Amino acid sequence: MKYTTKALHTKYPKSDIYGALRIPIYQNAAFEYGSSQELEDVFTGKIAGHTYSRATNPTIEELENKIKSITSSLGVVATSSGMSAISNTLFALLKSGDNIITTNKLFGHTLSFFQNTLVDFGIDVRYVDINSTESIKNSIDEKTKVIFFETISNPELIIPDIKAITALAKERNIVSVVDTTMSPFYIFDSKKYGVDIDVISATKYISGGGTAVGGLIIDNGNYDWSKYPNIEKFYTKFGANAFISKLKKQTFRNIGSCLSPQNAYLLSLGLETIALRADRTKDNTKDVAYFLLDHPKVKSVNYPLLKTNPYYDRAKEYFLFPSSILTFDLEDKQSAYEFMDKLSLVRRSTNIQDNKSLIIAPYHTIYSEYSDEQKSSFGLRSGTLRLSVGIEDSEDLIEDLRQALEVI
Ligand SMILES: *Cc1c(COP(=O)(O)O)cnc(C)c1O
């Protein structure tokens, strides 16, 4: 079965007593059992079941099972947000004295987590030029446990040489943790390209409608956990499932970043239509990129599928398409704001990969806390706009952009 068929038809473990075609929202904290012995057996893992929704819940488990089936991965943990997927993964893998290699061109709150939270726990975070395999190599030592990067950075749209980095990680026995939010599983086959652990903000493409905040941790089964020091105890007991078991029985359960059943339900619904939505935004983004490229008032367009883009070859090699985000430059802040305020279809908002097209001026909003030098090192200028292309009819979208460009 292919993607959408699996998303629609992955069976849930017990049939519903009313024959509901969709698993109900189990909006409850605790579960009861017919006898004391049965309750003990569920607690000790002799029989499968749920005890308390911070640990597991049927609606959330259904979402995890669907994703496991779609991705052919070893295991999945759904979490309360993309940030909790990232923090839980790293708390499970790292301990004081370890180091992690990454880049400073990351999603802002991920960078803040590295700079302000991880360091307080005695973890050495090493920032490298992610485009230089040499500089990654030079930063590795015996205390390096993890390499972390994003498949496509935002808003710069840097695409690292994913295959080369995961191969290097494998050779040096380092775990590759990759944020694939910009290009989730329908768009990028992370297992095939050697990624060990996928972390995803499900808030974006998976929700689609921008309905719920949520996160996913996926173990692709590429890493041999028998070689990982911080997980030995779990390897002895759970074998290949060591990492997922450590999360479920320790890190994730203890930190308490469970997803709400209501949000799991909404994300599960979104999952069913990713392929349709992605195929549509693939075409829309290309149409919009070419329209902007040809427009005299647009100074430059950054989209990896434009032939002059430095990441064109990697975009072609790795992805079904390199996400539905593009940036473009207008003359200055004033023209950018006049243009944005004239838009009637495209919404002024910070989210990405919503069904609706969204626009923002990152220089003055998302990155407003950064210095001018830092902003320019992220490739941002005062007149830069980030557009997240939605699933509208592309003629309508382009007409909206065209009429708004006329006023500036
Ligand atoms: C949004 C986002 C996150 C954080 O996800 P939340 O669900 O908002 O916590 C992490 N990484 C990337 C690339 C994102 O776009």
Side-chain angles (χ1 to χ4, degrees), residues 80-84 86 107 109-110 150 152 154 179-182 200-204 213-215 351-353:
S80 58
S81 67
M83 284 318 302
S84 67
I86 294 169
F107 176 72
H109 296 167
T110 308
E150 296 168 352
I152 307 171
N154 159 25
D179 183 334
T180 64
T181 302
M182 286 281 278
I200 304 183
S201 166
T203 319
K204 317 289 166 55
V213 174
N351 199 14
I352 54 168
Q353 296 162 338

Side-chain angles (χ1 to χ4, degrees), residues 98-111:
D98 288 342
N99 71 64
I100 165 174
I101 295 176
T102 189
T103 157
N104 63 5
K105 298 195 171 172
L106 291 170
F107 176 72
H109 296 167
T110 308
L111 185 60

Side-chain angles (χ1 to χ4, degrees), residues 163-353:
K163 222 162 57 180
I165 301 173
T166 58
L168 174 63
K170 191 169 185 60
E171 183 193 310
R172 305 295 293 269
N173 203 27
I174 295 165
V175 183
S176 55
V177 178
V178 181
D179 183 334
T180 64
T181 302
M182 286 281 278
S183 59
F185 27 81
Y186 179 69
I187 296 170
F188 170 67
D189 185 351
S190 69
K191 188 176 172 178
K192 174 175 149 193
Y193 288 105
V195 171
D196 296 319
I197 306 296
D198 243 11
V199 286
I200 304 183
S201 166
T203 319
K204 317 289 166 55
Y205 246 126
I206 291 159
S207 154
T211 53
V213 174
L216 298 168
I217 304 170
I218 302 174
D219 182 344
N220 278 327
N222 284 337
Y223 192 87
D224 175 2
W225 296 109
S226 71
K227 295 180 183 160
Y228 199 85
N230 220 10
I231 282 184
E232 274 154 0
K233 207 176 82 195
F234 290 88
Y235 187 79
T236 317
K237 206 161 167 204
F238 301 101
N241 289 312
F243 173 69
I244 293 289
S245 303
K246 179 171 182 182
L247 282 171
K248 291 220 165 172
K249 293 181 186 303
Q250 219 171 60
T251 320
F252 166 77
R253 190 198 63 191
N254 295 353
I255 290 176
S257 34
C258 52
L259 184 63
S260 80
Q262 171 85 25
N263 284 356
Y265 181 86
L266 292 167
L267 295 173
S268 193
L269 200 58
L271 203 61
E272 296 177 355
T273 55
I274 291 188
L276 303 180
R277 292 182 282 113
D279 289 345
R280 172 80 159 216
T281 49
K282 174 176 183 249
D283 295 339
N284 278 2
T285 312
K286 208 162 107 202
D287 291 350
V288 167
Y290 282 111
F291 164 76
L292 292 171
L293 195 65
D294 283 344
H295 201 286
K297 286 182 183 162
V298 176
K299 292 181 63 188
S300 63
V301 181
N302 179 19
Y303 186 60
L305 279 189
L306 297 174
K307 288 224 169 60
T308 51
N309 191 285
Y311 300 107
Y312 177 81
D313 290 337
R314 289 178 190 168
K316 281 277 197 200
E317 180 183 357
Y318 294 135
F319 309 109
L320 177 68
F321 73 110
S323 191
S324 55
I325 317 293
L326 54 81
T327 65
F328 59 101
D329 272 38
L330 298 180
E331 187 63 39
D332 51 21
K333 180 180 180 183
Q334 196 193 339
S335 42
Y337 273 32
E338 277 173 13
F339 165 78
M340 282 213 300
D341 290 343
K342 194 75 179 38
L343 290 165
S344 62
L345 258 184
V346 179
R347 312 295 182 93
R348 293 168 291 273
S349 174
T350 183
N351 199 14
I352 54 168
Q353 296 162 338

